[in-house]
Amino acid sequence: MCATVLAALAAAPAQAHDGAHRMPHWALKNTGAPSVRFRGLAAVDRDTAWAAGTAGTVLRTTDGGASWRNVSPPGAGELQFRDVEAFDARRAVVLAIGEGEASRVYRTEDGGTTWTESFRNTDPKAFYDCLAFFDHRHGLAVSDPVDGRFRALSTSDGGRSWTVLPARGMPAALDGEAGFAASGQCLVTSGPKDVWLATGGAAHARVLHSADRGLTWTATEAPVPAGDPARGVFALTFRDRTHGLAVGGDYRPEQPSPLAAAVTADGGRTWRPADRPPPAYRSGAAWLAHSRGAALAVGPTGTELTTDGGRTWRTVDTGSYDTVDCTADRACWAAGEQGRVARMEP
């Protein structure tokens, strides 16, 4: 997303302008996969993006979405890919979610021509939700609680091999607490060692933080809807190791989601509710590159923009998206149901 697009977004009213003054908008790209729901998205730059979704589907574009290549791992048709992390146009790691052996990790080094299964969960009590990398080598995947604590899986070789981290550094989970595999953004990193995990489903929504790549964690309550298995924090985004945003709510379409956004300025030690949050449940969020205050939040009923660091949000689009990602060259991508992938255009 170029600087002029950001400026126009910030200045434009919530309703669309006429053709002479059209505000920036999501431009849908034809993925050729209308039956797939893409909850995993990794935007590399304005030209290159990866999308991962249902029916074991992984797509990749290198021409800004004009064409898409189906690079799905062979034999993965029964799997649900909910997260993808891409280092560039050739190297990516995808996470399949589910109980027991349904949770798997695949890795490619040749743009998806070939894949290697680098992890398959064998514990029937584990259910992996999200995946995140600190750099090209170090990353984590996190499972819902096993024996009362969230389980963290670690890699130090770019996803080629994985090790379950000791549980002693993880605080006890609340009754009913879990992560949400809704957008690939329940686990996010900033810098070489900081990582945050979003939770819900319990009496209180929480954000867990580790400053040592997942060895030890602290937990803080987040002021978003909780007290039900369908409510909590669904996505996090940090622009640095101190400034972060949380969005979520109640994913059931018939349930309202007031106060479903929060902001932190101290690395997640404390959270405060947004003064004017998005009007409904939101499952994905992303900071715009090179901006101190601008970020997007997306969900099934629309997209919101904040230009004041998450204090206030306003709707800029009403299309359905589950996840969003912005790149260093100022491009923003979104993905969701019915094969929807879009890039923000002026």
Side-chain angles (χ1 to χ4, degrees), residues 171-221:
L174 303 178
D175 184 32
E177 191 174 24
F180 290 109
S183 61
Q185 295 177 314
C186 68
L187 185 72
V188 300
T189 64
S190 181
K193 293 185 177 181
D194 285 277
V195 58
W196 295 264
L197 171 66
T199 81
H204 305 284
R206 300 198 297 176
V207 176
L208 280 63
H209 172 239
S210 171
D212 55 12
R213 292 186 185 148
L215 292 177
T216 59
W217 299 76
T218 56
T220 303
E221 290 186 14

Side-chain angles (χ1 to χ4, degrees), residues 26-34 36-43 48-53 59-61 64-68 320-325 332-345:
W26 289 120
L28 280 169
K29 309 298 180 179
N30 183 9
T31 63
V36 177
R37 187 165 195 166
F38 291 111
R39 293 184 184 269
L41 175 67
T48 302
W50 300 67
L59 302 185
R60 185 192 65 146
T61 183
S67 64
W68 295 83
S320 175
Y321 297 100
D322 293 311
T323 186
V324 60
D325 197 14
C332 286
W333 295 76
E337 61 183 341
Q338 298 178 343
R340 293 167 62 90
V341 178
R343 191 180 67 183
M344 190 69 79
E345 303 289 355

